[in-house]
Amino acid sequence: MTTELPAITKSIDARGMACPGPLMSLIGAIRAGAVGEAFEVLSSDAGSRTDIPAWVAKAKHEMVAVVDEQGYARFVVRKAH
Amino acid sequence: MEPPMEGNDSLSLVLFSGTDDKLAAAAILAAGAAMMGRRVNVFLQYWALDSFRKEHIHRDHGAVPEAGAEGARLVERSEKKQSWSDVLIQAKDVGEVKIAACAKSMEMFGITKDDLDPIVDEVAGVAAFMAEATGPITFI
């Protein structure tokens, strides 16, 4: 099944990175980005499944999609402010 | 810079043990708290402080006895991939993390601020740490 995803401003390949690396990379990209831009992070770390949505909710950005891929997950986040 | 996140307590960690497993666990807690917008205060005493010395920080500091030889090898492998000092640097990068060295432990080792890795922000007495450590204190 294909999910309709927005245009990605920056994609971060954090596969193989250990916790908390993938989320750290995402935070850095979002801070450097502009409001409305979408960011994607690929992570094979199991902790990202809970950590990325938890941070996005806390920081009040938008969790656009979590897509399961073979051996990793794809997280798409829109910078909301 | 984003607006600060709301309704966050600070995290106060007192690090006593200097083995890599305990320091790695502490570094992960600090990083998680910093990412979630919590202010983090770290106070280094005894063997933890010893592991933050410039000359010692990148050494293999082993693991607690319960890890056994096999556990110690796992910790060493994990540290080679991502060291606790790197996790702390990331934590400082992403949030507000202050690392202070206990003045009394410094005196015991006969060392000064110059002997410590630059990741340590300051030398402080216990009262100064307590003044900033609002909420519970975690001892590792």
Side-chain angles (χ1 to χ4, degrees):
Chain A
M1 199 189 96
T2 338
T3 315
E4 196 67 36
L5 298 178
I8 304 293
T9 302
K10 189 183 179 192
S11 179
I12 302 151
D13 189 351
R15 286 174 293 179
M17 231 187 237
C19 172
L23 177 51
M24 286 278 189
S25 309
L26 175 67
I27 293 174
I30 287 192
R31 283 186 180 170
V35 173
E37 287 180 335
F39 299 86
E40 174 188 71
V41 56
L42 313 182
S43 174
S44 52
D45 173 52
S48 294
R49 273 266 171 203
T50 54
D51 284 11
I52 291 177
W55 180 81
V56 170
K58 182 90 181 171
K60 298 186 170 71
H61 292 295
E62 184 194 345
M63 192 78 237
V64 178
V66 181
V67 185
D68 273 315
E69 306 281 0
Q70 194 72 38
Y72 66 97
R74 181 187 300 272
F75 300 85
V76 182
V77 180
R78 188 181 280 113
K79 182 177 165 93
H81 53 83
Chain B
M1 192 74 188
E2 294 170 43
M5 297 191 222
E6 298 151 12
N8 287 313
D9 294 327
S10 65
L11 174 71
S12 299
L13 298 174
V14 176
L15 307 189
F16 175 89
S17 297
T19 54
D20 283 333
D21 51 353
K22 290 204 169 191
L23 292 171
I28 288 283
L29 287 177
M35 289 191 296
M36 297 308 282
R38 295 189 189 210
R39 197 163 43 81
V40 181
N41 293 304
V42 182
F43 195 55
L44 307 173
Q45 296 184 305
Y46 286 80
W47 322 120
L49 174 63
D50 191 59
S51 292
F52 278 80
R53 288 163 78 151
K54 234 180 240 167
E55 309 285 314
H56 297 182
I57 194 160
H58 297 302
R59 281 186 189 169
D60 175 7
H61 304 97
V64 295
E66 70 193 87
E70 198 184 328
R73 269 196 304 277
L74 288 177
V75 172
E76 193 184 350
R77 199 184 311 153
S78 165
E79 282 300 298
K80 276 187 182 147
K81 201 174 158 203
Q82 185 185 45
S83 70
W84 53 261
S85 56
D86 286 342
V87 174
L88 284 176
I89 289 167
Q90 288 184 312
K92 293 183 99 164
D93 200 40
V94 82
E96 199 186 328
V97 180
K98 187 156 92 176
I99 302 177
C102 168
K104 187 172 186 300
S105 292
M106 296 284 290
E107 195 187 312
M108 185 184 84
F109 287 121
I111 57 177
T112 65
K113 175 82 173 66
D114 285 346
D115 296 310
L116 299 175
D117 186 88
I119 197 174
V120 181
D121 298 293
E122 61 177 27
V123 175
V126 69
F129 170 71
M130 287 298 167
E132 295 194 12
T134 52
I137 289 168
T138 304
F139 192 85
I140 301 176

